Amino acid sequence: MPSGITALLVVVLAALFLTYRRIVARWASPRARTVATVGLSAAGLLTVATAVGLLAGAGVLPPGPVRWISAAGLTWLAVVFYLLIALLILGIAWIGVRVAVRLRPGSADAGRRLLRTLAAAGLVVAVTTTTYGLFEAASPRITRTDIPLAAMPSDPGALRIALLTDLHVGPVRTRAFTQRVVDATNAQEPDIVILGGDLIDGTVDRIGDYLAPLKDLRSPFVFAVTGNHEYYADDARNWVQRWREVGVRPLLNESVRIWRDGARGGSSIRIVGVNDRKGTPPLAPDYDAAFAGIAPEEFTIAVAHEPKQAAEFARRGADLQLAGHTHGGQLWPFRYLVQLDQPTISGLEEVDGMPVYTSRGAGAWGPPVRVAAPPEIAIVNITSR
């Protein structure tokens, strides 16, 4: 379980306890004390449920028996995030009220009413935004992007790639979710399917069956690279083997040449896959090994989980990178924090002169919630310019 979120959960539990001891327990009205105590107790239980969901995602707990607990707790994590934003706004307003009362002592009652109104509005907005985000995250949408590239062989025509990243099946999403993504992808009839990492949260022993529908992908070429979450449960090598069992070819710091027959003979492209930059031996990233034997004039599509890896690809002459990892921020306004870490957030951008397409991903990590960052199954059409 990430240490930052662990600290957040401890802070939330401490804040709930102090709220009860310092505020609720001193209220004169028994009815008000009872209602507030029930609400604080429910919030405490949901905070504990969040930890259950994170432990299930780390492979510590079997996800099946605790799925609804995980879903409730991880959804609560999104509510807490928006409550923290509301608390920040409330804190700024409280400072403003204090200043106003000093300047105009008679404004104290109006200030208290304003703070109560803001607190109630913050709670309503947090719950409403999270509820909207639950529906937003439930159904990945098909997105289509045309990428004209001068180096792309013109014969036999456009190349349609389905980029599937960040499914995060495990504590909340199950095999049924994978099947929905596979069915939607097959309907697009892609030439190549690329799985861009973070497909799971958990271990092969507990959720290996959740990826079984990948064997139904009807594309002639299905490749995969590791993401950081394949390593979190210390089970990356078993996941790579599981991919092979369901008909997916891992690209582990290596490339594959794909021949395409056209009217004037054959042309080829290279697909290069590099392990996630957080990978550890024997699945650590190795860019030189991945590009070994590739001629400078070959049209090359590089695949790695993080767009931050783009600089290494651009340095070695790749024509395009396909990536995931960012989730488009997942919960607004997180995208502005992600921009501090990654060179691209979503869609088609450029890094060091090389185009990079970054998928928002089909699933969601942690809260099964997305706000202003809808999930996607990205269909990338690469044409000759």
Side-chain angles (χ1 to χ4, degrees):
M1 190 161 63
S3 57
I5 293 183
T6 301
L8 173 63
L9 297 181
V10 171
V11 169
V12 170
L13 288 173
L16 293 172
F17 177 74
L18 289 175
T19 300
Y20 173 78
R21 289 292 300 273
R22 303 293 291 273
I23 300 176
V24 174
R26 299 178 182 180
W27 287 354
S29 169
R31 175 175 292 182
R33 285 201 308 272
T34 300
V35 171
T37 300
V38 170
L40 291 173
S41 299
L45 289 173
L46 285 169
T47 303
V48 174
T50 302
V52 171
L54 293 171
L55 290 171
V60 177
L61 297 175
V66 297
R67 190 164 315 283
W68 288 107
I69 297 173
S70 298
L74 293 172
T75 301
W76 169 244
L77 186 60
V79 176
V80 167
F81 170 68
Y82 285 111
L83 286 176
L84 289 174
I85 294 177
L87 186 62
L88 176 62
I89 295 172
L90 192 62
I92 295 172
W94 178 80
I95 294 172
V97 167
R98 291 294 297 270
V99 172
V101 169
R102 283 184 176 274
L103 297 176
R104 297 179 58 189
S107 64
D109 288 342
R112 282 192 289 269
R113 287 195 298 271
L114 173 63
L115 292 177
R116 285 196 293 267
T117 300
L118 286 176
L123 177 60
V124 170
V125 170
V127 173
T128 301
T129 301
T130 301
T131 301
Y132 149 75
L134 282 169
F135 288 97
E136 177 84 310
S139 300
R141 61 194 63 182
I142 301 292
T143 61
R144 297 178 177 84
T145 304
D146 293 329
I147 305 179
L149 296 172
M152 170 68 178
S154 59
D155 200 20
L159 180 70
R160 181 181 300 175
I161 298 178
L163 176 61
L164 309 180
T165 77
D166 302 279
L167 272 66
H168 289 287
V169 296
V172 179
R173 306 289 190 229
T174 65
R175 173 177 175 151
F177 179 75
T178 307
Q179 188 67 62
R180 285 170 50 207
V181 170
V182 167
D183 292 344
T185 301
N186 285 338
Q188 302 305 308
E189 300 181 345
D191 301 309
I192 302 173
V193 174
I194 291 182
L195 307 172
D198 279 12
L199 305 183
I200 49 81
D201 284 308
T203 62
V204 171
D205 180 58
R206 295 197 187 279
I207 61 169
D209 184 59
Y210 291 7
L211 293 189
L214 295 179
K215 68 179 182 298
D216 297 331
L217 285 166
R218 291 199 292 268
S219 171
F221 304 102
V222 182
F223 304 115
V225 295
T226 58
N228 51 309
H229 281 251
E230 271 76 30
Y231 300 89
Y232 279 172
D234 196 25
D235 208 29
R237 280 181 286 183
N238 288 330
W239 277 118
V240 168
Q241 179 57 34
R242 180 60 180 152
W243 294 347
R244 293 188 177 102
E245 292 169 357
V246 295
V248 175
R249 174 171 175 176
L251 291 179
L252 309 175
N253 300 325
E254 58 187 315
S255 70
V256 61
R257 179 185 281 120
I258 296 176
W259 289 94
R260 311 176 73 221
D261 295 328
R264 294 185 299 275
S267 62
S268 69
I269 63 172
R270 286 270 196 170
I271 308 293
V272 178
V274 173
N275 295 331
D276 183 69
R277 69 187 190 89
K278 295 184 179 67
T280 55
L283 294 176
D286 187 335
Y287 300 92
D288 290 334
F291 279 81
I294 298 179
E297 67 274 9
E298 288 189 85
F299 180 73
T300 304
I301 298 173
V303 185
H305 183 58
E306 294 195 32
K308 184 178 275 190
Q309 296 172 265
E312 295 287 351
F313 293 135
R315 188 176 301 121
R316 290 167 173 80
D319 297 290
L320 170 71
Q321 183 194 347
L322 302 177
H325 184 65
T326 67
H327 296 206
Q330 187 166 325
L331 298 175
W332 187 92
F334 256 125
R335 67 175 291 118
Y336 301 110
L337 295 178
V338 176
Q339 285 177 333
L340 300 177
D341 180 59
Q342 297 290 335
T344 70
I345 301 299
S346 63
L348 184 63
E349 300 183 58
E350 193 171 281
V351 176
D352 294 346
M354 180 188 68
V356 178
Y357 187 90
T358 305
S359 171
R360 294 188 300 268
W365 179 79
V369 176
R370 281 178 172 263
V371 177
E376 70 172 333
I377 297 169
I379 304 299
V380 178
N381 293 302
I382 304 173
T383 60
S384 178
R385 183 169 58 191

